[in-house]
C-alpha cells in the first residue's frame, strides 16, 4: 500500500498544473476523494485468521470512484477522437488527441484527483488503523465462527438438552 500511495502522489505531482481552473479542479477532486475515502473507511472491516490480519474494503465505494474516472476518461477520449475526425474531414488543423488531450479538461483532471485523493487517503487510513486496531474492531472470521458453532453443537449433542432462558416481550424471563 505504501508503494501505491507513493505512485499516486508522484502522479499528482506530475499532473499538478499552475492554472487556476486546474488548481480548483485538483483541490476539489482531492477533497471529494478524501471524503469518499473516509466514508468507505468507516465501513471497512478487519479480521484476524491464522494470526494474520486482513481487511475487507467497502467494495462499492472503490468501484464507484474507479468507474467514475474510467467513464470520464472514455468519454473524453471519444470526444477528442471525434473532434480529430471532424477536423480532419473539414481540412482544419486537428486538435491534440489521445491520452494527452484527455487530460486537457479541468473536469477530467478533477475526477482523476478524486481517484488520487480517495486511494491515498483510504490506503493511509487502512495502514494507520491496522497499527491501532483493538479487539472490538476485529470481526470474527467465518472459520472461527463455524468452528465455535460446531463445537457448541457437539457439546449440546454430548450433554443432552439444556434449559433455555427466553426473554419475553415484557422483559420477564420464562423458562422452557
Amino acid at each position: 500500500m505504501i508503494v501505491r500511495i507513493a505512485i499516486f502522489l508522484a502522479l499528482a505531482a506530475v499532473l499538478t498544473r499552475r492554472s487556476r481552473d486546474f488548481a480548483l479542479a485538483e483541490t476539489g477532486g482531492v477533497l471529494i476523494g478524501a471524503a469518499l475515502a473516509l466514508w468507505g473507511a468507516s465501513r471497512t472491516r478487519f479480521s484476524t485468521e491464522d494470526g494474520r490480519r486482513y481487511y475487507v474494503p467497502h467494495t462499492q465505494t472503490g468501484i464507484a470512484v474507479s468507474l467514475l474516472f474510467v467513464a470520464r476518461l472514455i468519454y473524453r477520449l471519444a470526444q477528442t477522437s471525434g473532434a480529430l475526425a471532424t477536423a480532419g474531414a473539414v481540412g482544419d488543423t486537428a486538435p491534440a488527441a489521445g491520452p494527452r488531450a484527455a487530460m486537457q479538461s479541468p473536469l477530467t483532471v478533477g475526477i482523476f484527483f478524486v481517484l488520487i485523493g480517495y486511494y491515498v487517503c483510504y490506503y493511509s487510513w487502512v495502514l494507520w488503523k491496522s497499527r491501532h486496531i483493538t479487539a472490538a474492531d476485529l470481526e470474527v472470521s467465518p472459520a472461527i465462527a463455524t468452528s465455535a458453532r460446531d463445537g457448541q453443537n457437539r457439546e449440546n449433542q454430548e450433554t443432552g438438552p439444556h434449559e433455555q432462558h427466553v426473554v419475553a416481550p415484557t422483559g420477564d424471563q420464562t423458562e422452557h
Side-chain angles (χ1 to χ4, degrees):
M1 280 190 222
I2 293 171
V3 171
R4 292 176 193 169
I5 291 171
I7 290 170
F8 277 120
L9 290 176
L11 281 171
V14 167
L15 293 175
T16 299
R17 308 256 172 94
R18 302 292 179 237
S19 167
R20 182 172 179 230
D21 290 339
F22 283 100
L24 289 173
E26 293 162 358
T27 304
V30 167
L31 292 175
I32 291 169
L36 287 170
L38 293 175
W39 186 79
S42 69
R43 285 150 180 78
T44 297
R45 302 172 316 213
F46 290 88
S47 66
T48 301
E49 188 174 315
D50 298 329
R52 300 180 85 188
R53 187 164 295 141
Y54 298 94
Y55 76 99
V56 180
H58 188 253
T59 308
Q60 291 86 351
T61 308
I63 289 173
V65 169
S66 298
L67 283 178
L68 175 69
F69 173 69
V70 169
R72 176 61 187 176
L73 193 59
I74 289 170
Y75 170 78
R76 187 73 177 134
L77 288 172
Q79 185 182 31
T80 56
S81 66
L84 179 64
T86 304
V90 175
D92 295 335
T93 11
R100 189 157 212 236
M103 295 304 280
Q104 296 299 316
S105 164
L107 180 60
T108 304
V109 170
I111 290 175
F112 186 63
F113 274 79
V114 168
L115 186 81
I116 290 173
Y118 174 81
Y119 282 109
V120 168
C121 186
Y122 183 78
Y123 290 148
S124 298
W125 181 86
V126 168
L127 289 171
W128 178 85
K129 184 67 174 177
S130 66
R131 290 182 179 97
H132 297 90
I133 201 160
T134 63
D137 295 328
L138 291 175
E139 197 176 76
V140 177
S141 71
I144 294 172
T146 302
S147 67
R149 193 173 336 116
D150 291 345
Q152 185 180 12
N153 288 341
R154 277 193 301 273
E155 181 181 303
N156 287 343
Q157 290 171 354
E158 292 170 4
T159 60
H162 289 80
E163 212 174 67
Q164 295 179 345
H165 297 281
V166 179
V167 179
T170 60
D172 298 333
Q173 289 190 353
T174 57
E175 294 181 15
H176 293 107

